[in-house]
Coordinates of all heavy atoms in Angstrom, one line a residue:
T52 N -14.4 3.3 50.5 CA -13.4 4.3 50.0 C -14.1 5.2 49.1 O -14.7 4.8 48.0 CB -12.3 3.5 49.3 OG1 -11.7 2.6 50.2 CG2 -11.2 4.5 48.8
P53 N -14.1 6.5 49.3 CA -14.8 7.5 48.5 C -14.1 7.6 47.1 O -12.9 7.4 47.0 CB -14.8 8.8 49.3 CG -13.6 8.6 50.2 CD -13.5 7.2 50.5
G54 N -14.9 8.0 46.1 CA -14.3 8.2 44.8 C -15.3 7.9 43.7 O -16.5 7.5 44.0
T55 N -14.9 8.1 42.5 CA -15.7 7.8 41.3 C -15.3 6.4 40.7 O -14.2 6.2 40.5 CB -15.6 8.9 40.2 OG1 -16.0 10.1 40.8 CG2 -16.5 8.6 39.0
Y56 N -16.3 5.6 40.5 CA -16.1 4.2 40.1 C -17.1 3.8 39.1 O -18.2 4.4 39.0 CB -16.2 3.2 41.3 CG -15.3 3.5 42.5 CD1 -15.7 4.3 43.5 CD2 -14.0 3.0 42.5 CE1 -14.9 4.5 44.6 CE2 -13.1 3.3 43.5 CZ -13.6 4.0 44.6 OH -12.7 4.3 45.7
T57 N -16.8 2.7 38.4 CA -17.7 2.0 37.5 C -17.8 0.6 38.0 O -16.8 -0.1 38.2 CB -17.3 2.0 36.0 OG1 -17.3 3.4 35.6 CG2 -18.3 1.2 35.2
I58 N -19.0 0.1 38.2 CA -19.2 -1.2 38.7 C -20.2 -2.0 37.8 O -20.9 -1.3 37.0 CB -19.8 -1.2 40.1 CG1 -21.2 -0.5 40.1 CG2 -18.9 -0.5 41.1 CD1 -21.9 -0.6 41.5
E59 N -20.1 -3.3 37.8 CA -21.1 -4.1 37.2 C -21.7 -5.1 38.2 O -20.9 -5.8 38.9 CB -20.5 -4.9 36.0 CG -20.3 -4.0 34.7 CD -19.9 -4.8 33.5 OE1 -19.9 -6.1 33.6 OE2 -19.6 -4.2 32.5
A60 N -23.0 -5.1 38.3 CA -23.6 -6.0 39.4 C -25.1 -6.2 39.0 O -25.6 -5.5 38.1 CB -23.4 -5.3 40.7
L61 N -25.7 -7.0 39.8 CA -27.1 -7.4 39.6 C -28.0 -6.5 40.5 O -27.6 -6.3 41.7 CB -27.3 -8.8 39.9 CG -26.7 -9.8 39.0 CD1 -26.6 -11.2 39.6 CD2 -27.4 -9.9 37.7
V62 N -29.0 -6.0 40.0 CA -30.0 -5.3 40.8 C -30.8 -6.3 41.6 O -31.3 -7.3 41.1 CB -31.0 -4.5 39.9 CG1 -32.1 -3.9 40.8 CG2 -30.3 -3.5 39.1
T63 N -30.7 -6.2 43.0 CA -31.4 -7.1 43.9 C -32.7 -6.7 44.4 O -33.6 -7.5 44.7 CB -30.5 -7.5 45.0 OG1 -30.1 -6.3 45.7 CG2 -29.2 -8.2 44.6
A64 N -32.9 -5.4 44.5 CA -34.2 -4.8 45.0 C -34.2 -3.3 44.7 O -33.2 -2.6 44.8 CB -34.3 -5.1 46.5
V65 N -35.4 -2.8 44.4 CA -35.6 -1.4 44.1 C -36.5 -0.9 45.2 O -37.6 -1.4 45.5 CB -36.3 -1.2 42.8 CG1 -36.5 0.3 42.5 CG2 -35.4 -1.9 41.7
Y66 N -36.1 0.3 45.8 CA -36.9 0.9 46.9 C -37.1 2.4 46.5 O -36.3 3.3 47.0 CB -36.1 0.8 48.2 CG -36.0 -0.7 48.7 CD1 -34.8 -1.3 48.5 CD2 -37.1 -1.4 49.2 CE1 -34.6 -2.7 48.9 CE2 -36.9 -2.7 49.6 CZ -35.7 -3.3 49.4 OH -35.6 -4.6 49.8
A67 N -38.1 2.6 45.8 CA -38.3 4.0 45.3 C -38.8 4.9 46.4 O -38.6 6.2 46.3 CB -39.4 4.0 44.2
N68 N -39.3 4.4 47.5 CA -39.9 5.2 48.5 C -39.0 5.4 49.7 O -39.4 5.9 50.8 CB -41.2 4.6 49.0 CG -42.3 4.6 47.9 OD1 -42.4 5.6 47.2 ND2 -43.0 3.6 47.8
L69 N -37.7 4.9 49.7 CA -36.8 5.3 50.7 C -36.4 6.7 50.5 O -36.7 7.4 49.5 CB -35.6 4.4 50.6 CG -35.8 2.9 51.1 CD1 -34.5 2.1 50.9 CD2 -36.2 2.9 52.6
A70 N -35.7 7.3 51.5 CA -35.2 8.7 51.3 C -33.7 8.6 51.6 O -33.3 8.6 52.7 CB -35.9 9.6 52.3
P71 N -32.9 8.7 50.5 CA -33.3 8.8 49.1 C -33.7 7.5 48.5 O -33.4 6.4 49.0 CB -32.0 9.3 48.5 CG -30.9 8.6 49.3 CD -31.4 8.7 50.7
G72 N -34.5 7.6 47.4 CA -34.9 6.4 46.7 C -33.7 5.8 45.9 O -32.7 6.5 45.6
G73 N -33.8 4.6 45.5 CA -32.8 4.0 44.7 C -32.9 2.5 44.6 O -34.0 1.9 44.8
F74 N -31.8 1.8 44.4 CA -31.8 0.3 44.3 C -30.5 -0.2 44.8 O -29.4 0.5 44.8 CB -32.1 -0.1 42.9 CG -31.1 0.4 41.9 CD1 -30.0 -0.3 41.5 CD2 -31.3 1.7 41.3 CE1 -29.1 0.2 40.5 CE2 -30.5 2.2 40.3 CZ -29.4 1.4 39.9
Y75 N -30.6 -1.5 45.3 CA -29.4 -2.2 45.7 C -28.8 -3.0 44.6 O -29.6 -3.6 43.8 CB -29.7 -3.1 46.9 CG -29.8 -2.3 48.2 CD1 -31.1 -1.9 48.7 CD2 -28.7 -2.0 49.0 CE1 -31.2 -1.2 49.9 CE2 -28.8 -1.3 50.2 CZ -30.1 -1.0 50.6 OH -30.2 -0.3 51.8
V76 N -27.5 -3.1 44.5 CA -26.9 -4.0 43.5 C -25.9 -4.9 44.3 O -25.3 -4.5 45.3 CB -26.1 -3.2 42.4 CG1 -27.1 -2.4 41.5 CG2 -25.1 -2.3 43.0
Q77 N -25.7 -6.1 43.8 CA -24.8 -7.0 44.4 C -24.1 -7.8 43.3 O -24.8 -8.3 42.3 CB -25.5 -7.9 45.4 CG -24.6 -8.9 46.1 CD -25.3 -9.8 47.1 OE1 -26.4 -9.4 47.6 NE2 -24.8 -10.9 47.4
E78 N -22.9 -8.1 43.4 CA -22.2 -8.9 42.4 C -22.5 -10.3 42.5 O -22.8 -10.8 43.6 CB -20.6 -8.7 42.6 CG -20.2 -7.3 42.2 CD -18.7 -7.1 42.7 OE1 -18.3 -7.7 43.7 OE2 -18.0 -6.3 42.0
S79 N -22.5 -11.0 41.4 CA -22.8 -12.5 41.4 C -21.6 -13.1 42.1 O -20.5 -12.5 42.2 CB -22.9 -13.0 40.0 OG -21.7 -12.8 39.3
A80 N -21.7 -14.4 42.5 CA -20.6 -15.1 43.1 C -19.4 -15.2 42.2 O -18.3 -15.1 42.7 CB -21.1 -16.5 43.5
A81 N -19.6 -15.3 40.9 CA -18.5 -15.4 40.0 C -17.8 -14.1 39.8 O -16.6 -14.1 39.5 CB -19.0 -15.9 38.6
S82 N -18.5 -13.0 40.1 CA -17.8 -11.7 39.9 C -17.3 -11.1 41.1 O -16.5 -10.1 41.1 CB -18.9 -10.7 39.3 OG -19.4 -11.2 38.1
A83 N -17.7 -11.6 42.3 CA -17.3 -11.0 43.6 C -15.8 -11.3 43.9 O -15.2 -12.2 43.2 CB -18.2 -11.5 44.7
D84 N -15.3 -10.6 44.8 CA -13.8 -10.7 45.1 C -13.5 -11.9 46.0 O -12.3 -12.2 46.3 CB -13.3 -9.5 45.8 CG -13.9 -9.1 47.1 OD1 -14.7 -10.0 47.6 OD2 -13.6 -8.1 47.7
A85 N -14.5 -12.7 46.5 CA -14.3 -13.9 47.3 C -13.7 -13.6 48.6 O -13.2 -14.5 49.3 CB -13.5 -14.9 46.5
D86 N -13.7 -12.3 49.1 CA -13.1 -12.0 50.4 C -14.3 -11.9 51.4 O -15.1 -11.0 51.2 CB -12.4 -10.6 50.3 CG -11.7 -10.2 51.6 OD1 -12.0 -10.9 52.6 OD2 -11.0 -9.2 51.6
P87 N -14.4 -12.8 52.4 CA -15.5 -12.7 53.3 C -15.6 -11.5 54.2 O -16.6 -11.3 54.8 CB -15.3 -14.0 54.1 CG -13.9 -14.3 54.0 CD -13.4 -13.9 52.7
A88 N -14.5 -10.7 54.2 CA -14.5 -9.6 55.1 C -15.0 -8.3 54.4 O -15.1 -7.3 55.0 CB -13.0 -9.3 55.5

Side-chain angles (χ1 to χ4, degrees):
T52 303
T55 299
Y56 302 95
T57 297
I58 61 172
E59 281 189 9
L61 294 162
V62 176
T63 56
V65 181
Y66 298 102
N68 295 321
L69 288 177
F74 56 94
Y75 283 95
V76 294
Q77 181 176 338
E78 292 168 330
S79 66
S82 302
D84 63 5
D86 184 351

